[in-house]
Each structure stands twice: as C-alpha cells, then as structure tokens.
Amino acid sequence: GSHGMLLRVNGVALFARGANVIPTDELEGRWSAAAHAEMVSSAAAARFNMLRVWGGGAFLPDAFYDACDARGLLVYHDMQYAQSGHSPKATATQEAELRHAVRRLASHPSIAVWDGCNECQVVMGTPTGVYATFVMTVVASEDASRAVWPSCPAAGWSSGVRLLDALPTGRTLVTPKSRSRIETHGPYQHGSG
C-alpha cells in the first residue's frame, strides 16, 4: 500500500513543491524580519507552493508566517519534536507551550497542516503514541480548522479525523495498528534500493 498523502486546497488536489525550513542560524533570532521575508520570496520565485517547518528546529517569528500569507505559500508545520530523545512528556508546561504556539499561529491562512513530529512513526501503545494521545490531541483541540497528521512520515489516522481532509472530528486520534516500516529518507540511506 501507499503511504502517500493528498493535499487539497478548496477541493482541488495540490502537488506540493517546496522545502524544509530549518534553523537559519545557531542563535535563532539573529535573522531580521526582512531576511525571513526574503527567504519566502526566494521560495516563491523558485515556484514552491509549500514550506515545511521542520520539527527539529523552532517555531519561527511572525515575519516568516506573514510572508507566507502574503506570497501564498502553504506551511506544513511540524510540532517541535524530532526523533527519539526529543519526545514530549504530557506535562502542563508542554501542553501550555503547544496551546500557545497553535493559538499564536492559527490565524495565519498559510498554515495548511499541523504535524506531530519529525521522523517518529506514531504507533499506539508504544512510546511514540504520545504524539497522538497528547501532542496532536492538544493541537486539534486548539485548531480544528486544519488538517492534523501524526508525524512525518506517517500512515495517517484510523480514527479521529475526517478521511477526506484529515480535519479533526473531536473523537480520539488513533493511528493504524500496522507497524510496517516507513522509509524516512528514501532507499539510498538505509540500503533498501
């Protein structure tokens, strides 16, 4: 089976063309608003239509999201968790941080997808299940107007979202029971091709 994802905007299928946005500097915050706007303008000039805020980075400044809104670029937004060792704990502090981040960004029309984490296949009943039971449950409770996705990569949801558009339904988010391996970087890295 396919682990593909089909994005639709206003009912029209969209082939995403874009890139990951990773930290721009070792000391985040040194980039000016103009630099973030220039990065987004360069992406638009390259005919990108989507940028992914990478889960191993940081929530970006408003200038980035404002530029995406103005240039019509969609944002696929990871929550700021990546691989093992950077996983969330279901604490009041982390819940408050997630709620704050989603509330701050939800008004941006460029946000198309909220994603739980980078390179952590979410399997219920395992340590990665926290991305469904905590992270994306909090995100969906704050913004039910956007698609939610368990992780990048992922096999999607078996319940808790509408199948056509992955909008949260208010029911419990559950990932499929299958633990099939999902390649994260392509066959070139792990020798399967």
Side-chain angles (χ1 to χ4, degrees), residues 39-61:
M39 175 176 56
V40 173
S41 290
S42 294
R47 301 187 51 85
F48 289 1
N49 59 12
M50 181 172 281
L51 293 171
R52 174 180 173 231
V53 176
W54 176 62
F59 290 103
L60 297 171

Side-chain angles (χ1 to χ4, degrees), residues 117-180:
C117 63
N118 176 62
E119 296 178 12
C120 49
Q121 186 176 357
V122 178
V123 178
M124 306 306 289
T126 73
T128 61
V130 70
Y131 292 101
T133 61
F134 173 63
V135 174
M136 295 315 293
T137 296
V138 170
V139 171
S141 74
E142 287 296 331
D143 185 4
S145 71
R146 304 265 182 6
V148 294
W149 200 243
S151 61
C152 182
W157 302 104
S158 56
S159 71
V161 299
R162 298 185 332 194
L163 292 180
L164 182 62
D165 55 20
L167 290 177
T169 62
R171 294 191 313 266
T172 302
L173 292 168
V174 178
T175 59
K177 291 182 187 209
S178 170
R179 291 185 67 140
S180 63

Side-chain angles (χ1 to χ4, degrees), residues 18-31:
N20 284 327
V21 177
I22 62 171
T24 53
D25 197 318
E26 293 84 9
L27 298 174
E28 194 62 44
R30 294 197 299 194
W31 262 36

Side-chain angles (χ1 to χ4, degrees), residues 34-98:
H36 282 281
E38 181 63 28
M39 175 176 56
V40 173
S41 290
S42 294
R47 301 187 51 85
F48 289 1
N49 59 12
M50 181 172 281
L51 293 171
R52 174 180 173 231
V53 176
W54 176 62
F59 290 103
L60 297 171
D62 290 334
F64 169 80
Y65 303 98
D66 291 342
C68 287
D69 294 345
R71 297 301 302 248
L73 269 78
L74 297 173
V75 175
Y76 181 109
H77 208 300
D78 285 357
M79 295 298 105
Q80 296 307 296
Y81 303 106
Q83 301 97 7
S84 60
H86 299 280
S87 57
K89 307 287 185 259
T91 65
T93 300
Q94 288 194 27
E95 180 177 342
E97 180 182 354
L98 286 166

